Amino acid sequence: MNIRKNIIVFGPPGSGKGTFASQIRNVFNKIIHISTGDIFRENVKKKTKLGLKAKEYMEKGELVPDVIVNAMIRKVLSSKDAKQNGFILDGYPRNLDQSKILDDITDINLFLLLEIPRDILKKRILGRFICNNCNEIYNIYLKKPIKEKKENEWICDNCGALIKFKQRRDDTVKTLENRLFIYDRNAIPIIDYYTEKGIVKRIDATNTLAFSEEEIKKIINS
Ligand code: AMP
């Protein structure tokens, strides 16, 4: 199925933005999923110029400076695919200035606000690990891969690669507190901004993995 919609998936770190965005993409398969965090992590891994610049901020749980993020997002959103098929932005905007830059580049039709209690959120973040090969997201408390090889080693359900439990470098208790603090400070003006545009939809994200295809279609289309 195809739609052409420009969507923001917004919520605190650990609210399941990436998982939810992937679910939308599974239903509307041409839509592009753009995760600024994933793009940065990929660049850090490959030691690119962008990755080297972003790394120090990411490890402290701070935001990468706007000049760097905005240049990157302009480039990604100028692609033919993004223009033709629509996109889901996950991790951008992170402050009001980024929202305004976004309005300069394109139109946003839907702002999905993921809401989740803080205790569940902390468990999600501190237990999270990803497959280094395909970026599939798992959780040591909530969603382990099906096939266990030995203690703390599994076969990725999605791509079959071997994965070990290893936290993201920015998923520690200290950086988590910092990331939540930054989120709380920036979220209200962003949510107000899109509420004024009349495009905010609130989603109970306590259990995002449980959304059916029908529910996803209803959220996106109604
Ligand atoms: P995420 O995976 O979305 O939690 O992003 C991981 C890290 O990448 C964040 O803690 C920031 O350091 C950086 N980052 C991702 N998106 C942005 C953004 N829109 N603005 C600034 N920094 C970002």
Side-chain angles (χ1 to χ4, degrees), residues 36-37 40-41 58 62-64 69 91-92 94 98 168 170 179:
T36 43
F40 282 136
R41 277 184 288 279
M58 293 175 77
E62 285 173 10
L63 292 183
V64 175
V69 193
Y92 189 100
R94 283 283 231 285
Q98 292 185 3
R168 264 171 46 170
D170 56 354
R179 288 161 74 207

Side-chain angles (χ1 to χ4, degrees), residues 83-101:
K83 286 183 178 155
Q84 261 178 9
N85 302 321
F87 54 81
I88 314 156
L89 272 180
D90 149 16
Y92 189 100
R94 283 283 231 285
N95 59 38
L96 195 57
D97 286 341
Q98 292 185 3
S99 303
K100 290 178 180 166
I101 291 281

Side-chain angles (χ1 to χ4, degrees), residues 34 36 39-40 43 49-50 53 64-79 89 92-93 95 97-102 104-105:
I34 301 164
T36 43
I39 297 175
F40 282 136
N43 278 277
K49 231 163 117 185
L50 177 68
K53 280 189 210 158
V64 175
D66 281 358
V67 277
I68 301 174
V69 193
N70 292 339
M72 179 179 97
I73 213 76
R74 264 185 204 283
K75 195 169 155 207
V76 178
L77 292 181
S78 67
S79 80
L89 272 180
Y92 189 100
N95 59 38
D97 286 341
Q98 292 185 3
S99 303
K100 290 178 180 166
I101 291 281
L102 197 54
D104 243 23
I105 308 174

